[in-house]
Amino acid sequence: MLGEAAADPYLDPVLNSRFIHQTSSIRRIGSLELFLFDNNSCMLKVTCGSVHGWGEYVLPDSPRPIDLVRWGGVFADLRGLCLSECLQLIRDKESFWGFDRCQLAQSALFHLAWQLQNQEYSTIYETDHSPLSRAYLLEQSKSYYSLW
């Protein structure tokens, strides 16, 4: 992980490792959603029950438009897996997935682990007018891909 990302408590794998392994056989990934914005910022929403984890990554500039279905299709492998299995899959597929996708998936999964561990303290609400509501994100994004 990037040094600056590890400074954030919910992205720190050491802080999350115990919880991830404790819940490894209980919590499974249900759905994933990708949103691509005009500035090549990509957001990944990972859902486990009614709890969501978010990751964001700014993709490098490319002369060709990004095909979000092709680029994000690898994330379908995470569906149905527990958190520790997801992280192992990312490590196993790192050379195929590449840095960008691995970073995006890891950040969303670590955020999800933090959200699961701190549900009563979570301050991220997804109301209709929230910047994290599906309606708002769909309105703002140039491309969307859902892996249900």
Side-chain angles (χ1 to χ4, degrees):
M1 292 193 62
L2 299 173
E4 60 208 50
D8 198 330
Y10 73 80
L11 293 180
D12 188 334
V14 174
L15 296 176
N16 284 298
S17 63
R18 277 184 244 134
F19 179 75
I20 288 171
H21 292 291
Q22 288 170 353
T23 61
S24 65
S25 62
I26 302 168
R27 310 272 185 178
R28 302 228 171 242
I29 303 303
S31 65
L32 300 101
E33 296 175 83
L34 279 166
F35 301 87
L36 182 65
F37 302 95
D38 285 330
N39 62 356
N40 274 359
S41 174
C42 186
M43 289 186 75
L44 173 64
K45 177 182 178 182
V46 180
T47 302
C48 181
S50 63
V51 181
H52 313 294
W54 292 90
E56 182 177 15
Y57 194 82
V58 178
L59 301 171
D61 286 332
S62 172
R64 295 189 305 201
I66 296 167
D67 180 346
L68 197 57
V69 173
R70 173 179 262 174
W71 187 85
V74 299
F75 297 125
D77 293 342
L78 300 174
R79 287 189 63 230
L81 299 180
C82 64
L83 294 173
S84 61
E85 291 169 334
C86 287
L87 294 172
Q88 184 61 51
L89 179 73
I90 292 167
R91 283 190 291 275
D92 293 345
K93 300 281 187 174
E94 186 173 4
S95 62
F96 176 70
W97 284 21
F99 181 80
D100 300 338
R101 289 183 278 207
C102 288
Q103 283 298 110
L104 181 60
Q106 284 177 341
S107 65
L109 291 168
F110 286 134
H111 183 242
L112 176 62
W114 186 89
Q115 292 285 83
L116 288 166
Q117 191 172 15
N118 298 287
Q119 288 181 53
E120 66 274 13
Y121 303 114
S122 177
T123 58
I124 297 176
Y125 299 103
E126 295 179 45
T127 63
D128 290 339
H129 304 292
S130 163
L132 292 180
S133 75
R134 181 181 290 119
Y136 180 81
L137 290 171
L138 286 171
E139 183 180 301
Q140 300 299 315
S141 64
K142 70 177 182 181
S143 186
Y144 171 76
Y145 180 44
S146 175
L147 298 130
W148 287 86

